[in-house]
Amino acid sequence: MEKLNITNGGRCHNQLWFTVLVSFVFCFALLCLDYSVLHKNGVSFLIPRNFSDSGKTQKANQLAPAIDEPPDSQNFPFPENNVTLAVVNVTDPCSGKYIYVHRLPRRFNVDVLGDCRNLVKWFDMCPSLMNSGFGRKVEKPRGVLSGKNWFETNQFTLELIFHQRIKHYKCLTNDSSMASAVYIPFYAGLDLGRYLWGYNVSVRDASADGIVDWLRKQGEWNRMFGRDHFFVAGRIAWDFRRRSEDEFGWGSKIMTLPEFMNITMLSIESSSWSNEFAVPYPTYFHPSSDIDVIRWQKRIRARKRRYLFCFAGAPRPAMNESIRGKLIAQCLSARNGTCMFLDCKAEGNKCDSPVEVIKVFRDCKFCLQPPGDSYTRRSTFDSIISGCIPVFFHPYSAYAQYIWYFPKNYTKYSVYIPEDNIKTGNMSIGLALSRYSEHRIKAMRKEVVELIPKVIYANPKSRFERFEDAFDIAVNRVLERVNKVREITSVDFAVGNQWKLKLSGIVGDQPLETFS
């Protein structure tokens, strides 16, 4: 019995020593690891780590100097026993994405908004400037719209919407030397809208001359003479390219000025010049999160559609080349009620109501999008957020315009019917669209629904994680363009008559020759 106790005591003694040894090795390993340097891509920081005082550690972390490699003991005092050194590497997520915003005199933006009653001759724009340019909230969605993300947005408020969004851009910098691009928050379209009717060219060009004079005096201008600058215009590009000096000629001359030939313009409709890029018209839908978008996509994808096609608009009797009158006639005479017409000239214009527009488009498989006063229409984007397949009659209505947003293969998401086929009366739209199988329509609608995040302008305070909206895409493409210009200094920045080039990426069932 005594022998057994001695044996057991020896075993316990050995286990105790083994435990001490393992603990010693473990602590030594931790000590070595604490002094190790972890290398990753990014910038290295020397950080004193004081385990006895976490508050001091946090302060030391904030003041840690950036270095390329660990310092030697001669240049940096070795830490005390209770302080260790670690090198933390941080990647700058804004590298190559920094944007500097010019601080313009108030007369080029803020004061323009102060004259809101006169921004457009035909109606009061003051309510449209509410909610960061989104306009009034839709208070009675009537089961048509979802949530609180819908507004009575005017198509001419893009400049204000974009400016408010860029104020929340994650890579802004006050140091222009760090910037990859420079944004000019000039409300060119809103300013011009005040003087399009009843004013001579000197009045309409006053702001253009003023902004150019101001820009030339800024240090940021001399780096690339404006080729890293961009601005947003909430009107079509041709409004800024007056071709004559006739006293009452249409529009402004700003895009013909030598300085603005070096600047990138983003507008709701571009012209054939290579320094102009079209971005989507503002729609009524301004979600605050990814889930808002996903829920709307799911809802609109599952919608059963009663009509084969529809048209929301008004005729253009004064425009001899317009096909709108013929489209309306075909819609009204469509057999078996297969077409829905929303008359935008009727009393109490329903086309200004988000609920009325979306209610029509959500019930149609195809939405007709002919040119109006210009090639493009806001209605194109209203139809897309409704899951309605757009039907175009001119290549400049979409295919040569929104090249950053729409698939190159236009047959995936739209239908193209040359307008000459409508003018001659040789084509029935109803018959042409009825030839699309349900399988093909379903596939096209899927593409349209997937476009929704790309053509909307999200709430300024939102931060999408899954999607890029129209603003995100525009900023990223501008940055890519400026970086390319930096690499190729001899590139022609602004070249006219580039419609063919803008269409060169289009592929599909329709040959490029039909777009001539």
Side-chain angles (χ1 to χ4, degrees):
M1 193 71 175
E2 184 178 348
K3 184 176 181 181
L4 180 60
N5 287 338
I6 294 173
T7 304
N8 289 341
R11 289 179 181 175
C12 292
H13 183 71
N14 291 338
Q15 290 175 356
L16 178 61
W17 276 103
F18 180 77
T19 301
V20 172
L21 179 62
V22 169
S23 299
F24 176 79
V25 172
F26 181 73
C27 292
F28 181 78
L30 286 178
L31 184 62
C32 293
L33 179 61
D34 196 44
Y35 279 95
S36 66
V37 176
L38 304 177
H39 289 286
K40 295 180 181 179
N41 293 331
V43 181
S44 299
F45 293 88
L46 184 66
I47 300 178
R49 184 183 300 156
N50 188 334
F51 292 101
S52 64
D53 191 336
S54 60
K56 292 180 181 179
T57 302
Q58 183 176 3
K59 184 176 181 181
N61 288 347
Q62 295 172 352
L63 301 177
I67 58 173
D68 293 325
E69 50 188 22
D72 55 38
S73 58
Q74 296 177 351
N75 296 327
F76 198 91
F78 202 78
E80 298 176 359
N81 292 336
N82 65 337
V83 180
T84 63
L85 289 180
V87 177
V88 179
N89 296 273
V90 179
T91 300
D92 183 1
C94 289
S95 178
K97 298 180 180 180
Y98 282 110
I99 291 178
Y100 177 80
V101 180
H102 271 308
R103 295 168 179 82
L104 298 183
R106 291 172 56 94
R107 70 180 184 274
F108 296 121
N109 44 40
V110 177
D111 290 349
V112 174
L113 300 182
D115 194 23
C116 58
R117 294 184 183 276
N118 298 313
L119 294 180
V120 176
K121 180 179 180 180
W122 317 112
F123 50 86
D124 181 4
M125 281 283 288
C126 295
S128 300
L129 304 183
M130 299 169 59
N131 296 309
S132 301
F134 293 161
R136 293 192 181 101
K137 276 191 174 184
V138 176
E139 298 295 340
K140 297 179 180 180
R142 292 160 46 189
V144 176
L145 310 178
S146 61
K148 299 180 180 180
N149 302 304
W150 295 82
F151 299 78
E152 298 176 6
T153 305
N154 187 280
Q155 66 177 7
F156 295 125
T157 59
L158 180 61
E159 295 152 0
L160 177 56
I161 291 172
F162 202 95
H163 191 190
Q164 294 302 312
R165 277 296 304 277
I166 213 163
K167 289 178 180 179
H168 295 85
Y169 178 64
K170 62 182 179 180
C171 295
L172 291 182
T173 178
N174 289 324
D175 183 356
S176 62
S177 65
M178 294 179 59
S180 294
V182 179
Y183 170 59
I184 311 170
F186 173 37
Y187 297 166
L190 293 172
D191 174 74
L192 177 61
R194 298 181 290 177
Y195 309 120
L196 281 174
W197 293 273
Y199 292 87
N200 60 32
V201 294
S202 61
V203 174
R204 276 181 271 128
D205 291 339
S207 291
D209 293 331
I211 193 72
V212 164
D213 182 63
W214 187 88
L215 286 171
R216 282 198 305 251
K217 296 175 182 177
Q218 309 309 307
E220 292 78 20
W221 181 262
N222 295 323
R223 290 187 310 188
M224 295 179 67
F225 299 100
R227 293 192 175 195
D228 57 348
H229 286 48
F230 72 102
F231 79 110
V232 177
R235 301 188 67 92
I236 67 172
W238 285 117
D239 288 347
F240 306 98
R241 288 192 178 275
R242 191 179 65 249
R243 297 183 178 183
S244 72
E245 288 302 314
D246 180 75
E247 190 67 8
F248 293 98
W250 179 261
S252 161
K253 68 176 183 180
I254 188 169
M255 291 307 293
T256 67
L257 298 175
E259 291 80 5
F260 270 78
M261 296 288 276
N262 281 354
I263 295 175
T264 298
M265 178 171 75
L266 308 181
S267 61
I268 53 178
E269 176 182 317
S270 67
S271 72
S272 62
W273 286 82
S274 60
N275 63 326
E276 298 175 8
F277 295 88
V279 296
Y281 283 73
T283 66
Y284 304 118
F285 186 38
H286 306 286
S288 298
S289 66
D290 292 322
I291 193 64
D292 291 336
V293 178
I294 293 170
R295 286 173 178 168
W296 177 252
Q297 286 178 308
K298 182 178 180 181
R299 178 174 177 173
I300 212 68
R301 188 183 293 115
R303 180 75 185 179
K304 302 297 182 182
R305 298 175 185 255
R306 294 185 294 164
Y307 302 102
L308 176 64
F309 65 108
C310 61
F311 176 58
R316 292 291 190 273
M319 299 176 65
N320 295 330
E321 296 298 312
S322 177
I323 61 172
R324 286 189 170 208
K326 294 183 181 296
L327 296 183
I328 292 172
Q330 286 205 32
C331 181
L332 293 175
S333 63
R335 300 177 60 182
N336 303 320
T338 54
C339 182
M340 176 65 177
F341 173 51
L342 183 63
D343 189 355
C344 294
K345 280 295 184 183
E347 184 177 353
N349 186 359
K350 293 183 177 181
C351 294
D352 289 335
S353 167
V355 172
E356 295 294 339
V357 172
I358 303 301
K359 185 170 68 172
V360 170
F361 286 173
R362 69 173 185 170
D363 285 339
C364 301
K365 297 177 181 178
F366 297 94
C367 289
L368 308 185
Q369 303 298 344
D373 297 325
S374 66
Y375 292 126
T376 64
R377 308 179 71 208
R378 203 269 283 276
S379 177
T380 294
F381 301 97
D382 293 335
S383 69
I384 288 175
I385 65 173
S386 305
C388 186
I389 302 165
V391 180
F392 298 114
F393 301 86
H394 199 291
Y396 301 166
S397 293
Y399 308 140
Q401 296 286 348
Y402 308 102
I403 58 178
W404 292 344
Y405 297 91
F406 293 163
K408 288 185 177 181
N409 186 345
Y410 71 90
T411 62
K412 294 177 66 176
Y413 73 95
S414 70
V415 173
Y416 176 65
I417 299 175
E419 60 181 1
D420 286 345
N421 292 357
I422 305 300
K423 291 177 181 179
T424 58
N426 295 329
M427 174 173 285
S428 164
I429 297 173
L431 181 60
L433 297 178
S434 65
R435 292 171 179 167
Y436 284 82
S437 67
E438 285 300 320
H439 177 75
R440 179 75 181 279
I441 291 174
K442 184 177 180 180
M444 295 173 74
R445 186 183 304 136
K446 180 181 178 182
E447 289 287 335
V448 169
V449 171
E450 289 179 356
L451 287 176
I452 292 176
K454 297 181 179 181
V455 302
I456 57 178
Y457 294 92
N459 187 298
K461 296 181 181 179
S462 69
R463 191 61 61 86
F464 284 2
E465 296 180 0
R466 177 172 176 177
F467 301 117
E468 284 187 329
D469 74 340
F471 170 87
D472 295 324
I473 293 172
V475 167
N476 290 336
R477 297 304 179 272
V478 166
L479 290 168
E480 290 174 4
R481 172 173 166 78
V482 172
N483 288 332
K484 184 180 293 185
V485 169
R486 280 197 177 92
E487 297 172 1
I488 310 174
T489 56
S490 62
V491 66
D492 290 328
F493 195 83
V495 181
N497 196 23
Q498 296 292 295
W499 285 128
K500 286 278 190 177
L501 183 61
K502 290 186 175 184
L503 282 169
S504 63
I506 303 299
V507 295
D509 298 337
Q510 201 76 27
L512 186 59
E513 293 75 47
T514 62
F515 292 151
S516 300

